Amino acid sequence: MSYARDPAAAEIAPPLSIQRTAPVPPGERAANVKRLLANIQAAKQHFAPDFQRMRWAMDFAAGLQLPDQRADEPCYEYVVNLTLRHLHRRTSILYAKNPTASCRRKPRLDYRVWDGSQATLQNAMQLAQSPDPAQRVFAQEILEDYQQGYSRRQALDRVARSLELLFERFMTEPVPPVKIMMKQLVRRVLTCGVGYAKLGYQRILAPRPDVSPRYDDLATQLAVIERLRANLTDQAAVQYCEHEAEQLRVALAALQREPEAVLREGPTLEFPQSTSIIPDPATRYLKGWVGTAWVAEQFDLRASQVAEIYQVDLTSHPPRDFGELDAARVEASVAGPADAQRDPIVRVYQYYELATRTLYTVAEGWPDYLEEPRPPDVHVEQFFPYYVLSFNDIEHEKRLFPPSDVELLRHVQEEYNRVRESLRQHRIANRPLYVSPTGAFDQKDRVNLTEYSAHDVVSLNALKEGQAAAELLQPVQKVPIDPAAYEVESLFADMLRITGMQEANIGGVAGATATEASIAESSRLSAVASEADDMDDFLTRIARDFGQVCLREMSAEQVRRIAGPGAVWPEQSRAEYVEELDLVIEAGSSGRPDRDRALRNFERAAPFLLQIPGLNVEALSRYAVRLLDDRIPIDDFIAPGAPSVVAVNQQMRPLPADPAADPAAQGPEGAGNLPRAPRPPQAPRPAFDASGNEVPGG
């Protein structure tokens, strides 16, 4: 998120040297690379049924719900994709709509001498003027302790506000924004059962294999230019570079037309595919990576992309067969056609090992590291920069990945399609059918009976004068359609029991009473509230580590460039700030907030709050306006020290001609102090006893 002028906009550096021949690494390096690849292959084999189930769920949600159905062939059977409707509805309820970060000071005892009581503080102020030296020293210790603790809290609050502004920019600046990708993440979790977010740190001129959203800068463009120049200066690669000279010319021209181009640096958030993350088979629980020794991420890249990122040429590697399960994934993950011989697909892995706290980068078929082992881009408490989101968590000794909503709805969806297709076939079979004796009609009569328009008069040679047509042509009696045999309401009831959704959330309600619908909706809201808590916890883990990464990596100059010149950022002792500040997601901010309930609570509390001495009215007004509409820029309407509109109106009010008639000059009772006109005499009213009976003469 920090910005720097592009040094390559004015002058392009000499091309990097790309390694084009496979090295012969020392024995221990080659053995370690083989160990890493062997661990990855064993884990992929172990989780192959889970990854196959995820890919099946993607196809099923896309509409491939019939046996042997193919995406490239038309489907002639009746399919109603209730699963996709459920995913859209569920996503709209659960995805992070407006995640708001709040940076708080962690609870701690900041005062060594002062006990936190205002009475003690006031007493110390009085004792500071005491003639007794011992009392003055004691009072001075309390006052100094209070001042130091208060100053530190103020500094922490300013740093916390700077962190909140950084997070807000972090959520909106990448293209596409993080909020949009969060919606896709929820859809992925509902489809595959599990989804991941990856926290990273993009540094200037540091291309990476990630294809998820990142800052829109020149790092990728410069990497392409360097690879093209290296190819044109290498005699071994010239024969494959007929078109790359033109690519280089166009890229350089585009770069020169951008004098204001910048390079960016800052935290990033990627969202890998569910089948791209390969955990250690010893993992006991995905959330928090319990029992995990290593995690690998898989990338399917073109050889040209590997050369741009790692300066290693793998074009001489023959294109490998990724297998039937991975074929569709490879085609979907690598965009654009390419010559398989000149630019083959390479499988690259990033391997995070907890024991050595090291990131390894290896590729299948390459005997050495693609880059030297190094610490990960970000330092987080759990070490692995991946955060897991899942909703249907289970406890199973042999199954790590939870089932998805698609998997839970499979039988309901297949039975619904079967019922509707059977009804469709029954309707087709019940079309009118007529029979006649053999030889009753000649060829011309059969043509006249089958090929006619509405209201036509048909002439039949076989029909004698006065003979009824029913004697030669009789309708076939077929089995009538029984609606009970094709009812689907029970399937919607099963869907409610499985996913918490009810028929009213998908379409119309058939035969449900108001009480039943209310009970079903209460059950659904309870399930949604639990999943919303999962989303808040997921975002809070990301926000907390985001704050720690910013405090460790970003400079004060970078922060002020983003958050404003008034931002406060520690230059030294950053570890102390990491320990004392906690960036969390406000509860409920990732979903639809219950604004009406919050407003009702504020209306109840406001009359009592206004009576508290020392109340910060400005902060209270900010909170009230935010409840009404958080898009209102309240800072634009507040001028510090300016009187209220009511006070200004009172000052501008003209005075009456008679000063004695001015309510402001008549004491606290105002106009109530004026003499009142005498009331006219009233007629006597009847008196009543305790029982309500009128007393005679009362």
Side-chain angles (χ1 to χ4, degrees):
M1 295 188 304
S2 64
Y3 306 87
R5 288 291 177 187
D6 173 26
E11 180 180 356
I12 303 298
L16 297 177
S17 176
I18 295 180
Q19 186 175 359
R20 301 191 182 278
T21 57
V24 182
E28 59 274 11
R29 287 173 64 98
N32 194 40
V33 171
K34 291 181 180 179
R35 176 186 70 88
L36 300 178
L37 292 174
N39 288 347
I40 294 172
Q41 294 301 329
K44 291 177 66 175
Q45 185 66 26
H46 177 79
F47 293 118
D50 298 280
F51 292 152
Q52 185 176 9
R53 186 166 52 248
M54 292 179 188
R55 296 186 179 102
W56 166 85
M58 298 179 202
D59 292 337
F60 195 86
L64 302 180
Q65 300 172 356
L66 302 176
D68 302 325
Q69 185 180 357
R70 294 173 55 90
D72 56 351
E73 296 179 355
C75 177
Y76 298 102
E77 294 189 34
Y78 196 88
V79 175
V80 179
N81 199 343
L82 299 176
T83 303
L84 183 60
R85 170 65 175 169
H86 165 78
L87 295 180
H88 285 321
R89 175 65 180 172
R90 200 76 161 172
T91 301
S92 67
I93 296 173
L94 295 176
Y95 83 97
K97 300 167 182 64
N98 187 29
T100 303
S102 176
C103 193
R104 307 168 182 169
R105 288 181 278 104
K106 294 182 180 179
R108 55 174 294 166
L109 299 176
D110 292 324
Y111 302 100
R112 180 177 54 86
V113 182
W114 181 46
D115 60 0
S117 171
Q118 292 294 327
T120 303
L121 189 62
Q122 294 176 0
N123 186 36
M125 293 179 181
Q126 296 175 359
L127 292 178
Q129 309 298 329
S130 173
D132 187 354
Q135 291 183 348
R136 288 201 306 269
V137 171
F138 177 69
Q140 190 64 26
E141 289 181 355
I142 294 178
L143 295 177
E144 290 179 356
D145 184 50
Y146 167 76
Q147 186 62 34
Q148 292 175 1
Y150 181 78
S151 299
R152 180 162 183 77
R153 285 191 172 188
Q154 289 293 102
L156 287 173
D157 290 341
R158 295 289 298 275
V159 175
R161 180 54 183 161
S162 301
L163 266 178
E164 293 174 355
L165 294 176
L166 288 178
F167 185 82
E168 183 178 351
R169 180 71 64 88
F170 165 74
M171 295 294 292
T172 58
E173 187 173 84
V175 180
V178 173
K179 293 180 183 179
I180 295 178
M181 297 307 298
M182 282 289 183
K183 188 171 185 178
Q184 179 62 27
L185 173 64
V186 173
R187 188 178 294 111
R188 182 176 299 140
V189 172
L190 297 175
T191 303
C192 300
V194 64
Y196 305 94
K198 178 183 179 182
L199 183 64
Y201 195 85
Q202 178 175 323
R203 304 185 187 279
I204 295 177
L205 292 178
R208 300 173 302 168
D210 310 285
V211 294
S212 297
R214 41 193 280 186
Y215 298 111
D216 185 15
D217 61 8
L218 296 180
T220 303
Q221 185 179 0
L222 293 176
V224 173
I225 291 175
E226 290 173 355
R227 177 182 62 83
L228 294 175
R229 297 186 69 194
N231 286 346
L232 293 175
T233 56
D234 193 325
Q235 296 298 326
V238 168
Q239 57 178 331
Y240 300 107
C241 303
E242 296 87 354
H243 64 281
E244 292 187 350
E246 175 64 13
Q247 283 184 275
L248 178 60
R249 185 191 67 79
V250 173
L252 289 174
L255 185 62
Q256 293 172 358
R257 288 194 297 267
E258 297 182 7
E260 297 298 326
V262 295
L263 295 168
R264 305 191 184 188
E265 179 178 354
T268 61
L269 193 64
E270 283 98 27
F271 301 89
Q273 294 287 335
S274 300
T275 54
S276 297
I277 305 302
I278 307 166
D280 179 10
T283 303
R284 298 195 302 271
Y285 189 52
L286 285 173
K287 292 182 177 178
W289 300 109
V290 180
T292 305
W294 58 268
V295 175
E297 182 177 359
Q298 174 180 304
F299 303 92
D300 294 325
L301 306 175
R302 296 288 185 187
S304 58
Q305 294 175 299
V306 176
E308 296 168 4
I309 300 170
Y310 302 109
Q311 289 76 52
V312 174
D313 182 17
L314 298 178
T315 55
S316 59
H317 284 209
R320 57 159 298 176
D321 182 13
F322 292 103
E324 182 180 354
L325 292 179
D326 290 345
R329 166 182 162 78
V330 171
E331 292 298 328
S333 61
V334 182
D339 185 0
Q341 295 293 335
R342 186 179 62 84
D343 199 7
I345 296 173
V346 180
R347 183 151 286 175
V348 178
Y349 301 99
Q350 286 186 342
Y351 187 101
Y352 294 83
E353 189 173 49
L354 179 61
T356 59
R357 305 188 74 84
T358 304
L359 169 62
Y360 300 94
T361 305
V362 295
E364 292 185 2
W366 188 254
D368 201 357
Y369 306 117
L370 284 182
E371 64 177 359
E372 285 299 315
R374 58 180 177 84
D377 294 329
V378 296
H379 172 71
V380 295
E381 294 180 358
Q382 67 176 14
F383 174 70
F384 303 112
Y386 301 99
Y387 304 86
V388 182
L389 179 63
S390 59
F391 298 131
N392 303 320
D393 295 333
I394 60 174
E395 177 65 26
H396 198 278
E397 293 181 351
K398 297 182 179 180
R399 181 169 177 177
L400 178 63
F401 297 95
S404 65
D405 283 23
V406 175
E407 187 177 351
L408 297 176
L409 287 173
R410 173 179 182 175
H411 296 292
V412 173
Q413 177 68 74
E414 291 178 342
E415 180 65 13
Y416 189 93
N417 291 339
R418 189 195 66 79
V419 170
R420 305 303 285 182
E421 174 63 17
S422 299
L423 177 60
R424 173 174 173 264
Q425 294 296 337
H426 199 161
R427 286 174 174 172
I428 294 175
N430 274 24
R431 291 179 299 178
L433 177 65
Y434 300 91
V435 296
S436 64
T438 302
F441 300 103
D442 56 20
Q443 182 64 27
K444 184 177 180 181
D445 286 347
R446 284 196 292 270
V447 171
N448 290 336
L449 287 173
T450 57
E451 299 179 4
Y452 62 90
S453 302
H455 309 294
D456 274 0
V457 176
V458 179
S459 299
L460 299 176
N461 296 328
L463 191 63
K464 299 178 182 179
E465 185 176 356
Q467 185 180 9
E471 297 179 7
L472 300 178
L473 196 64
Q474 299 179 1
V476 176
Q477 186 68 28
K478 298 185 178 183
V479 178
I481 296 177
D482 183 8
Y486 301 104
E487 63 86 20
V488 293
E489 282 75 14
S490 59
L491 300 179
F492 288 111
D494 292 340
M495 181 178 293
L496 168 62
R497 296 182 177 95
I498 293 172
T499 65
M501 302 293 286
Q502 61 170 321
E503 190 176 358
N505 299 126
I506 301 175
V509 177
T513 64
T515 302
E516 293 172 342
S518 177
I519 294 174
E521 183 65 8
S522 299
S523 175
R524 185 187 70 84
L525 292 177
S526 299
V528 168
S530 175
E531 293 169 348
D533 288 340
D534 292 339
M535 174 63 73
D536 287 343
D537 292 340
F538 170 77
L539 293 173
T540 295
R541 293 195 301 271
I542 295 176
R544 181 179 294 113
D545 289 344
F546 167 85
Q548 296 179 4
V549 168
C550 289
L551 286 171
R552 289 191 177 100
E553 300 291 341
M554 301 190 70
S555 65
E557 181 183 358
Q558 295 170 345
V559 174
R560 293 190 186 100
R561 191 179 295 116
I562 297 171
V568 176
W569 202 249
E571 295 287 356
Q572 298 177 350
S573 303
R574 296 192 177 188
E576 297 180 5
Y577 285 85
V578 171
E579 294 296 330
E580 295 188 19
L581 293 178
D582 200 8
L583 189 67
V584 300
I585 298 297
E586 294 183 4
S589 65
S590 59
R592 287 193 177 95
D594 192 350
R595 198 179 303 273
D596 292 338
R597 183 177 62 181
L599 281 173
R600 289 195 300 269
N601 293 338
F602 178 78
E603 290 174 355
R604 294 177 182 176
F608 303 98
L609 295 176
L610 293 175
Q611 301 178 28
I612 298 177
L615 179 69
N616 190 337
V617 180
E618 181 178 340
L620 185 66
S621 63
R622 292 177 187 274
Y623 176 73
V625 172
R626 192 173 69 218
L627 286 179
L628 292 172
D629 191 345
D630 55 6
R631 295 170 297 179
I632 298 177
I634 185 62
D635 292 334
D636 297 342
F637 302 98
I638 294 180
S644 67
V645 176
V646 175
V648 173
N649 291 339
Q650 290 179 349
Q651 295 175 1
M652 299 297 295
R653 185 181 57 187
L655 296 177
D658 184 6
D662 183 11
Q666 298 172 6
E669 296 296 334
N673 291 335
L674 292 176
R676 298 182 179 179
R679 295 182 179 180
Q682 298 181 356
R685 298 180 179 178
F688 297 90
D689 59 13
S691 301
N693 300 320
E694 183 176 351
V695 179

